[in-house]
Amino acid sequence: MNQFDVTVIGSGPGGYVAAIRCAQLGFKTAIIEKYPTLGGTCLNVGCIPSKALLDSSEHFENAKHNFANHGIIINEPKADIKRIIERKNEVVEQTTKGINFLMDKNKITVFEGVGNFESANKINITKKDGSSEAIESKYTIIATGSKPSSLPFINIDKERIITSTEALNLKEIPKHLIVIGGGVIGLELGSVYKRLGAEVTVVEYLDRIIPGMDGSLSKELQKVLKKQGIKFMLSTAVSAVERNGDSVKVTAKDKKGQEVSVEGDYCLVSVGRRPYTDGLGLEKAGVELDERGRVKVNDHLQTNVSNIYAIGDVVKGVMLAHKAEEEGVFVAELLAGQKPHINYNLIPGVVYTWPEVAGVGKTEEQLKAEGIAYKVGNFPMRALGRSRASGDTDGLVKIIADEKTDEILGIHIIGARAADMIAEAVVAMEYRASAEDIARISHAHPTFTEAIKEAALDATGKRAIHS
Ligand SMILES: Cc1cc2nc3c(=O)[nH]c(=O)nc-3n(C[C@H](O)[C@H](O)[C@H](O)COP(=O)(O)OP(=O)(O)OC[C@H]3O[C@@H](n4cnc5c(N)ncnc54)[C@H](O)[C@@H]3O)c2cc1C
């Protein structure tokens, strides 16, 4: 029987990164993936394809609405959804093939099939043709990720009532896309189809979109998306979703308890994701789940069975690719006897709408709830020369610092290229910078990052230069 030092089950960003780091550290490593392509949700039906569609639709939006202002005159552009999806598939293919290359390069044995525990050290791999193969492993890392979740009364038919997976593969541009859930995935995919010409209505149970991010970002993003034409029904609890031929009707109760309804031709259900452990045979290995169906782990990401670890979306914490990657490296290094560390407070969150939204550290709401005294510095993007040059004047940077020590506690950005700008915030906070430190660092002119410096100046004595 094949024997390995470490076997990773699942090849998403948690799993494949864990496998590479294990191999780098000298472990004989295997990875098991049930699908023919590696890369998990992120590369196949998540981060990468959604960003490919966001980029295509943004080009279209610019061609349609912004080129003329720049003096670029073109005929009325048309969106070819077939080509847009085809290009997205090409991007996915190139990216997943890259993972195969990395597996070969690091001499990692790849098994295609469903990994299921026979015992704590023995794993069966059940292949598509029904045959199976067993391997032995000293350590196992569970990285089986997550799947879209739904509401109990919704029947996802994958045609008109769809999840993000189907929304990444539509054959036509919806006339009216109803998005249930105003979180990251719903707003990103809603933006894609809005830009391509669909009417988009977002129905959200809470009184704000992107819950979990700083409240000022929610407010600003909603304002900008509304300006772009997306409609919002907040504080609205969906009670039924019915399909009738090519149309879908969503019925809900609004804030006042009144019944409201909206009709469209597609309904995207994006109400979150659930940890995925189906078919893994955890009971045979004796691995416990927590009350929310996640694999239960301690602070070392170790399950209750000492040689089995778990990482990524299938364990507690934010469901983000870079969090999964950090955890993959963490476990590999731990197994090698090193003392790795993850600062969970500094995992940035990003929304790839336009403008982009990004935040790291504590939100103002969290600090209030924790009773921590803080001060805030703000700076509007519209006051930057760079923003005016590109025409991206929406948004702001908000820096929250400790009232007494001036240590930065959170940085929240909405604006062009916020996704890339947040890296400065993470570095600063990892080194426990004060707002004064950022205020005194030279930021290239003209760049969007000048807004971070200006917000730091505002946080430290209201001395921003350009507002
Ligand atoms: C539309 C969308 C957009 C997203 N955009 C972003 C983004 O921009 N940035 C970001 O950080 N995150 C994003 N995410 C979230 C991100 O995709 C996940 O956080 C990330 O993929 C989690 O990685 P993982 O390794 O834990 O699991 P996954 O990527 O889910 O991978 C798990 C893998 O395990 C395999 N598997 C499961 N069970 C078994 C088994 N028994 N045997 C063998 N294989 C098995 C699955 O087939 C899968 O390939 C997005 C998600 C979606 C849906």
Side-chain angles (χ1 to χ4, degrees):
M1 190 186 300
N2 251 325
Q3 291 190 330
F4 294 92
D5 297 323
V6 184
T7 298
V8 183
I9 308 182
S11 72
Y16 85 74
V17 169
I20 292 172
R21 191 70 189 116
C22 284
Q24 286 175 343
L25 290 164
F27 292 116
K28 187 180 175 201
T29 308
I31 191 162
I32 308 172
E33 171 55 57
K34 69 174 183 180
Y35 288 120
T37 52
L38 302 179
T41 303
C42 176
L43 272 61
N44 291 281
V45 288
C47 326
I48 300 300
S50 59
K51 266 80 259 178
L53 294 186
L54 279 156
D55 278 326
S56 297
S57 61
E58 197 186 315
H59 287 313
F60 179 68
E61 167 90 0
N62 282 330
K64 207 162 172 179
H65 298 293
N66 300 329
F67 276 11
N69 187 37
H70 285 265
I72 304 165
I73 309 302
I74 54 168
N75 290 334
E76 180 72 14
K78 288 197 181 73
D80 175 358
I81 187 72
K82 189 163 166 268
R83 176 59 201 148
I84 289 173
I85 298 289
E86 206 174 77
R87 177 190 168 273
K88 181 269 298 178
N89 291 340
E90 287 163 11
V91 172
V92 168
E93 195 185 333
Q94 286 157 12
T95 316
T96 57
K97 275 192 178 148
I99 307 301
N100 285 86
F101 164 79
L102 291 173
M103 295 299 108
D104 283 353
K105 184 183 158 199
N106 288 284
K107 304 193 170 41
I108 295 163
T109 306
V110 178
F111 292 99
E112 187 186 324
V114 176
N116 45 87
F117 285 99
E118 191 60 48
S119 68
N121 290 96
K122 198 169 156 197
I123 304 162
N124 273 324
I125 301 145
T126 311
K127 309 201 172 141
K128 237 187 183 159
D129 62 9
S131 67
S132 73
E133 177 179 357
I135 59 171
E136 267 181 4
S137 193
K138 191 165 169 203
Y139 298 106
T140 299
I141 303 174
I142 300 169
T144 49
S146 61
K147 290 274 176 213
S149 53
S150 181
L151 298 169
F153 51 85
I154 299 180
N155 172 28
I156 308 254
D157 65 15
K158 298 192 179 185
E159 287 173 6
R160 296 278 162 179
I161 305 171
I162 58 178
T163 70
S164 57
T165 304
E166 295 77 45
L168 293 166
N169 255 332
L170 291 186
K171 293 194 171 55
E172 60 178 355
I173 297 164
K175 290 182 195 67
H176 184 179
L177 175 67
I178 303 163
V179 178
I180 303 180
V184 181
I185 294 175
L187 296 181
E188 288 186 357
L189 292 170
S191 290
V192 165
Y193 289 106
K194 175 70 206 150
R195 293 169 190 168
L196 294 178
E199 187 184 337
V200 174
T201 304
V202 176
V203 188
E204 165 60 52
Y205 176 74
L206 297 175
D207 60 358
R208 53 176 283 197
I209 57 169
I210 49 168
M213 296 194 92
D214 192 273
S216 24
L217 300 187
S218 302
K219 241 189 241 160
E220 184 71 12
L221 181 63
Q222 192 187 338
K223 202 173 82 192
V224 182
L225 294 180
K226 237 171 138 176
K227 218 163 60 182
Q228 291 172 12
I230 295 183
K231 294 191 186 112
F232 291 95
M233 295 165 70
L234 301 186
S235 304
T236 303
V238 172
S239 51
V241 179
E242 296 150 294
R243 176 174 172 184
N244 190 357
D246 286 349
S247 77
V248 183
K249 183 174 169 193
V250 173
T251 311
K253 285 234 160 64
D254 70 9
K255 218 179 351 200
K256 295 179 199 132
Q258 310 254 313
E259 192 168 288
V260 286
S261 67
V262 53
E263 269 181 67
D265 53 343
Y266 286 88
C267 173
L268 165 62
V269 182
S270 50
V271 293
R273 296 181 60 84
R274 62 173 179 90
Y276 184 72
T277 55
D278 299 4
L280 200 49
L282 288 180
E283 58 299 335
K284 287 199 184 152
V287 174
E288 288 173 7
L289 299 179
D290 70 12
E291 69 294 345
R292 288 166 65 179
R294 303 172 295 197
V295 176
K296 205 157 135 186
V297 288
N298 63 20
D299 288 346
H300 286 164
L301 298 167
Q302 186 180 33
T303 69
N304 60 307
V305 179
S306 64
N307 68 320
I308 302 178
Y309 291 74
I311 59 172
D313 280 11
V314 80
V315 301
K316 64 188 174 186
V318 289
M319 288 185 168
L320 290 171
H322 42 287
K323 178 260 196 186
E325 290 181 26
E326 293 304 326
E327 291 184 335
V329 170
F330 178 95
V331 171
E333 293 184 349
L334 198 75
L335 296 180
Q338 298 182 8
K339 293 191 167 54
H341 174 71
I342 298 175
N343 187 347
Y344 282 102
N345 185 41
L346 295 189
I347 306 279
V350 177
V351 192
Y352 293 81
T353 45
W354 196 262
E356 294 173 339
V357 187
V360 68
K362 301 275 186 187
T363 63
E364 205 172 334
E365 293 77 13
Q366 281 171 329
L367 291 170
K368 269 190 191 138
E370 290 170 22
I372 296 169
Y374 61 88
K375 54 188 179 178
V376 176
N378 284 299
F379 190 79
M381 289 295 181
R382 66 171 180 279
L384 287 180
R386 186 71 192 88
S387 301
R388 281 193 299 275
S390 72
D392 295 303
T393 49
D394 288 320
L396 60 99
V397 172
K398 171 174 174 179
I399 294 190
I400 312 178
D402 187 282
E403 187 166 71
K404 280 207 191 85
T405 66
D406 195 38
E407 180 177 352
I408 298 170
L409 303 175
I411 299 190
H412 307 284
I413 308 174
I414 172 166
R417 304 187 201 167
D420 295 295
M421 288 209 288
I422 202 66
E424 175 181 352
V426 180
V427 173
M429 291 179 69
E430 192 64 61
Y431 287 91
R432 302 196 62 176
S434 62
E436 184 68 29
D437 287 329
I438 292 204
R440 288 178 180 274
I441 292 171
S442 171
H443 287 65
H445 174 74
T447 60
F448 294 107
T449 65
E450 286 174 283
I452 299 180
K453 180 183 170 103
E454 292 271 15
L457 284 165
D458 189 49
T460 51
K462 302 295 163 204
R463 54 196 170 115
I465 304 289
H466 294 94
S467 72

